[in-house]
Amino acid sequence: MMDASKQILADLIAFPTVSAESNLAMIHYIADHLTDCGARVELFRDKSGKKANLFATLGPEGDGGIVLSGHSDVVPVIDQDWHSDPFTLSERDGKLYGRGSCDMKGFIAAALAMAPTFAAQPLSRPLHFAFTYDEEVGCLGAAQLADDLTKRGLSPKLAIIGEPTEMRVIEGHKGCCEYITIFQGLAGHGSTPDLGVNAVEFAVRYVARLMELGAELRTLAPEGSRFDPPWTTINIGAFHGGSVPNVIASKAHVDWEMRPVQDSDGELVKSTMRRYCAEHLLPAMRAVYPEADITTEVIGEVAGLTPTKDNEARRIVSELTGSNRAELVPFGTEAGIFQSLGMDVVVCGPGSIEQAHKADEFLSLDQLQHCLSMLQGLARSLQADNVRNG
Ligand SMILES: [Zn+2]
């Protein structure tokens, strides 16, 4: 099983599925593999037609199934100092190097390598494979997949999201909301600032207000919050604007994110910033230039994964991995989207988030083996259920 996984992982890494690029070649490769195993495979294209989600099923039709979920896209390698070609799997010292090795083509490779095993036995419930596009840029593919599953009226019961957790069972994470706020001002000569609207200056005020809110959110951490840090955070990721010292900047934009521990925090931030623009920034900008504007584009609003009391996915995966506690992580995944469909969800996959998104990203063979063992256990339990339930 290890050799098959390694071969598939090498193939998957060779598809440079950076989020900005098409994922179709990789999705077709997966579709062929799963079709050969006897799975019923469906592709759902995005609006551009250049990307697709894959949803496949082994075993019986209908509701109540288990979803093995992964994203097909990877982050770019630009400005990273790699010691081997990031899109060629390289095995050194018990580690498999390559972009996406841990985040998260390793899990996908393990799931695909196990597909013939799942296919060879009668399954007590449907086993689904859900592989999405554009996770790294706001979970856009998973949001579309959720819509498509709802339209089909299909209700799987459980999902295992194979993001790198070193095979620890994760039952919760914060939400992740990413925005670009764009400031449209009016250019002019630097010597006459009152005749223009300086987009950079208004963007600075906007950022300052966000930072104040960031401090306020620290006081709103829910009692007993297990998140680290326990409050909702805000990060200013990028600030762009203007050109040269003696021209009034007509354009600026701020790329920022927040990671809510509770929905109310997200609402607070959004409504506060809307009000601040409407009552303070925009009136000042438009007093000089009526067309001045501030607009916020949503890159993605990824739901958090809320820990729940009853979680069948947690029970099953804890049993399979021999883990006696479920944890929380500070990074976002597609799990919240599956949870919003009413499913029981955990995040559990091979490799460490420490290696994700970095140069020389790797997955250790040891982690890959852990993942295969978990999936082999899952295969046995699905068959055992089958025998038990007749
Ligand atoms: Zn990931």
Side-chain angles (χ1 to χ4, degrees), residues 71 103-104 135-136 163-164 357:
H71 61 81
D103 187 14
M104 53 180 291
E135 189 272 346
E136 299 288 4
E163 290 278 1
H357 298 199

Side-chain angles (χ1 to χ4, degrees), residues 18-72:
V18 177
S19 309
E21 306 294 331
S22 170
N23 73 342
L24 289 181
M26 174 168 153
I27 287 293
H28 285 303
Y29 168 94
I30 296 174
D32 289 347
H33 176 88
L34 289 173
T35 305
D36 288 347
C37 298
R40 303 178 292 283
V41 179
E42 281 184 278
L43 302 189
F44 301 94
R45 294 208 181 213
D46 78 337
K47 279 193 228 88
S48 77
K50 285 195 295 199
K51 294 174 185 173
N53 290 321
L54 178 147
F55 189 78
T57 304
L58 284 168
E61 286 292 341
D63 294 340
I66 298 181
V67 178
L68 301 178
S69 163
H71 61 81
S72 64

Side-chain angles (χ1 to χ4, degrees), residues 96-117:
L96 303 168
Y97 289 87
R99 171 52 84 227
S101 51
C102 77
D103 187 14
M104 53 180 291
K105 291 177 173 178
F107 177 79
I108 298 176
L112 294 180
M114 279 296 296
T117 306

Side-chain angles (χ1 to χ4, degrees), residues 174 214 217-222 225 227 229-233 259-261 265:
K174 296 181 183 184
L217 289 166
R218 287 172 177 257
T219 68
L220 299 178
S225 168
F227 288 108
W231 48 78
T232 295
T233 56
R259 302 197 173 227
V261 292
D265 287 351

Side-chain angles (χ1 to χ4, degrees), residues 27 49 65 70 79 82 90 100 163 167 209 213 239 244 263 287 305 322 326 328 336 377:
I27 287 293
D79 294 334
W82 283 73
S90 163
E163 290 278 1
M167 295 308 291
R209 188 71 189 94
L213 266 177
F239 191 107
V244 291
D263 290 346
L305 174 62
L328 309 183

